[in-house]
Amino acid sequence: MVDAKPADIAYGDISQLEELIDRDSLREVCRSFFDLFGLSIRVFSARGVLLASVHEERTICRYVNSLTRGRVACSETVAQAQMLVPQGSGTVVHPCFSGAVYHVVPIRYDDRQLGRIIIGPFLPADVNEVPNSLLTLDPNLEPERARLALAEMPRVREQTANRIASHLNGVLELILFSGHKAQLTSAMHLATVRENYRELGEKNARLQEAFDKLKELDRLKSNFLATVSHELRTPLTSIIGYSEMLEAGIAGELTSEQAGFVETIRSKGELLLQLISSLLDLNKLERGQLTISPEFIDPRAVLAEVRETCLPEAEKRRIKVELAWNDDIPLVQADPVRLRQILTNLTSNAIKFTADHGQVRLAIRATELRVATAEDDPDDDPADASVGAALMMAPERAVEFAVEDNGIGIANDELDKIFDAFYQVDGSSTREYGGAGLGLSIAKSLVQAHHGQIRVESEVGRGTTFFVTIPETQPDEA
Ligand code: ADP
């Protein structure tokens, strides 16, 4: 089961500045402000992460840093400026002992403070003297040198500094906006994907549930079918046996009317028995419980027997059933009972779906078969094997049976459905042909159990031919 968390779209939430902003673009912006106004700029996130820094060490700074006390005082001043967090939306001015100042400008977006910009150091325009705090900083400081160095510091009017800060803030706001937009888009995309994934998970779980239920139902159906069929078969065998005894006159001579009734009881009983056997076979095949016992047999003998079995029905309807083969027919390794079952099924269908006075032809020929080997995909259905795959396989000597009729034929779009269990082309309750739609499905499974192939060619109104190809030898299962 996939846990079904609700989609969490955090698009209202603005996260850290460092996540919203592209650092390269930010550095570019700071660089262009530096080039334009000559002021050092540093940008910090609310958590104090330095995101961009463009600055130049001033002559006075370099000089102060070369003095022991100066160095200490300088780093303290810079550290304090960097740690200063403006509380409101206004700029905070942080003074340096040199008379210069730093402007600490808050970065605000959507009513939240996301960080700060430090501009400076620069000299306010109104500072003209070297302040005492600088002159008394270090005993080794040379006042004249300090004065000259300080003169190189950029001078900016308070107003100008504020304007520069507000421009910079405006540009930053634009970058933040586009970053926020991108974040929103990706958050929404993520949420959609997550929602789709969750839906898919739910559907999958429902599908699995339905599949499990179906499997259970299938198992119950199989058990039910096996029990019912078995329970029906025993009394039915008695019914058939007793009708045969009655027909044989064991219980006394029957009038012709009585004989007719008994004959109906027997033949309907036999039909029912056939149906029950088919159901049992299908059940066994579906559960993989049906095994074949192959032996070397003469295919001609099998086909001749099939003809004999089907002949009475054909003769009733004046349908000719002819046999056709050459002398070169080899023995095949097959289960004689099951092979007879396959061919009887096809032949009785051929007779059933052919008009009176029609023709059925039962033929055999030696051929070759390309069968999937054990290394091939076990899911591959040899009967449906694609031509491309079949060409890759080594050919095997085989025998092909063809059951051909000139009956009603089968429409093209029905050809691959007729092998499904219970499928009949005309499935209506008023259909004129008997049967339960199980014969071909069983025949196909039995052919597959022989590692063979079954296929059909047909034309509506002209007739149908079923081809069954069985390899001469069965692979050694051991
Ligand atoms: P059924 O018991 O109905 O014969 P099958 O599985 O043997 O069941 O056949 C399925 C369906 O395929 C048949 O109902 C029929 O519609 C069609 N069919 C099979 N063989 C032929 C054939 N020789 N000619 C025409 N239709 C056929």
Side-chain angles (χ1 to χ4, degrees):
M1 279 281 281
V2 177
D3 62 334
K5 279 188 200 149
D8 46 352
I9 305 174
Y11 51 79
D13 205 17
I14 298 150
S15 41
Q16 308 296 334
L17 181 63
E18 49 266 56
E19 283 165 18
L20 277 183
I21 228 158
D22 171 49
R23 289 191 191 199
D24 287 339
S25 324
L26 183 65
R27 208 168 300 124
E28 274 311 300
V29 170
C30 296
R31 158 76 43 203
S32 57
F33 269 79
F34 179 84
D35 291 345
L36 273 174
F37 306 109
L39 293 177
S40 297
I41 296 172
R42 290 181 179 84
V43 180
F44 286 89
S45 75
R47 288 193 298 183
V49 179
L50 178 63
L51 300 178
S53 167
V54 182
H55 77 284
E56 193 182 274
E57 196 178 33
R58 303 296 172 190
T59 320
I60 182 68
C61 303
R62 207 174 311 125
Y63 177 48
V64 168
N65 266 316
S66 68
L67 306 166
T68 319
R69 287 203 192 158
R71 195 162 40 243
V72 176
C74 185
S75 23
E76 255 174 33
T77 311
V78 172
Q80 281 165 2
Q82 291 186 355
M83 279 166 31
L84 220 160
V85 179
Q87 292 311 311
S89 56
T91 298
V92 177
V93 178
H94 182 68
C96 170
F97 53 81
S98 63
V101 289
Y102 292 89
H103 274 195
V104 184
V105 188
I107 303 172
R108 299 191 66 82
Y109 183 78
D110 214 21
D111 278 344
R112 285 176 61 183
Q113 194 171 128
L114 294 185
R116 54 198 184 270
I117 310 165
I118 300 177
I119 304 175
F122 60 87
L123 269 185
D126 52 3
V127 176
N128 294 314
E129 310 258 312
V130 180
N132 248 347
S133 47
L134 175 58
L135 293 174
T136 56
L137 181 71
D138 194 290
N140 294 326
L141 184 121
E142 298 166 31
E144 185 51 20
R145 196 173 159 193
R147 194 182 61 79
L148 287 174
L150 193 63
E152 285 181 33
M153 176 78 88
R155 277 174 182 277
V156 182
R157 256 192 255 129
E158 172 95 10
Q159 239 180 343
T160 317
N162 285 342
R163 223 178 300 138
I164 293 172
S166 122
H167 283 327
L168 185 54
N169 234 334
V171 176
L172 268 186
E173 200 167 330
L174 272 180
I175 299 181
L176 274 170
F177 179 72
S178 76
H180 189 197
K181 208 173 96 183
Q183 198 194 39
L184 267 183
T185 315
S186 87
M188 280 171 78
H189 177 70
L190 206 71
T192 316
V193 170
R194 228 181 258 153
E195 179 61 12
N196 287 349
Y197 182 75
R198 189 187 61 77
E199 263 179 31
L200 216 62
E202 265 180 17
K203 280 188 185 148
N204 210 8
R206 282 206 296 272
L207 221 59
Q208 182 66 42
E209 230 171 82
F211 177 71
D212 290 345
K213 259 190 210 153
L214 278 177
K215 243 175 44 184
E216 176 60 11
L217 277 177
D218 195 51
R219 197 186 60 78
L220 288 175
K221 179 213 77 180
S222 293
N223 284 351
F224 174 77
L225 217 63
T227 317
V228 169
S229 308
H230 194 262
E231 293 304 313
L232 283 175
R233 201 150 59 156
T234 323
L236 202 55
T237 321
S238 302
I239 293 173
I240 294 169
Y242 281 110
S243 356
E244 278 170 353
M245 286 196 276
L246 284 174
E247 273 184 326
I250 291 176
E253 208 51 42
L254 301 181
T255 65
S256 68
E257 196 182 13
Q258 285 168 337
F261 289 165
V262 172
E263 142 75 7
T264 308
I265 294 173
R266 189 189 49 75
S267 66
K268 296 291 178 200
E270 267 164 8
L271 267 181
L272 206 54
L273 193 61
Q274 251 174 35
L275 179 64
I276 290 168
S277 304
S278 298
L279 284 173
L280 281 174
D281 279 352
L282 188 75
N283 205 17
K284 275 194 203 155
L285 283 164
E286 276 179 355
R287 296 170 134 205
Q289 287 172 348
L290 193 135
T291 47
I292 57 162
S293 316
E295 52 189 78
F296 281 97
I297 48 176
D298 183 349
R300 290 169 294 196
V302 177
L303 207 55
E305 268 178 58
V306 169
R307 179 177 182 270
E308 284 302 308
T309 312
C310 298
L311 211 50
E313 184 57 31
E315 279 173 348
K316 262 194 239 165
R317 310 212 0 248
R318 307 232 175 272
I319 292 172
K320 262 199 227 153
V321 183
E322 63 177 48
L323 295 169
W325 53 66
N326 293 334
D327 293 336
D328 61 345
I329 307 299
L331 295 185
V332 282
Q333 202 181 8
D335 183 324
V337 176
R338 295 305 181 183
L339 185 59
R340 211 176 299 129
Q341 185 178 351
I342 298 166
L343 296 167
T344 308
N345 213 296
L346 298 180
T347 310
S348 61
N349 269 354
I351 296 167
K352 184 161 69 174
F353 296 106
T354 297
D356 293 0
H357 303 281
Q359 266 206 332
V360 171
R361 185 168 173 272
L362 309 177
I364 311 177
R365 69 180 183 103
T367 182
E368 276 186 345
L369 178 65
R370 290 173 196 270
V371 235
T373 53
E375 296 94 67
D376 294 310
D377 187 352
D379 287 345
D380 263 1
D381 183 346
D384 303 335
S386 69
V387 178
L391 286 175
M392 307 290 290
M393 300 161 196
E396 255 190 90
R397 285 156 59 86
V399 163
E400 179 194 81
F401 299 87
V403 178
E404 184 185 342
D405 64 55
N406 62 351
I408 60 172
I410 304 165
N412 251 341
D413 58 343
E414 301 280 357
L415 287 181
D416 51 347
K417 298 185 213 150
I418 54 172
F419 292 98
D420 293 345
F422 300 106
Y423 189 84
Q424 297 179 307
V425 173
D426 169 19
S428 70
S429 54
T430 55
R431 72 198 301 271
E432 63 177 293
Y433 309 99
L438 291 177
L440 287 180
S441 148
I442 293 173
K444 181 176 171 182
S445 301
L446 289 176
V447 171
Q448 282 170 6
H450 281 86
H451 305 95
Q453 288 179 1
I454 185 166
R455 63 190 177 87
V456 59
E457 283 174 10
S458 188
E459 200 179 322
V460 174
R462 305 214 83 166
T464 306
T465 309
F466 281 90
F467 299 92
V468 170
T469 314
I470 304 283
E472 266 183 44
T473 52
Q474 292 296 313
D476 192 353
E477 294 300 330

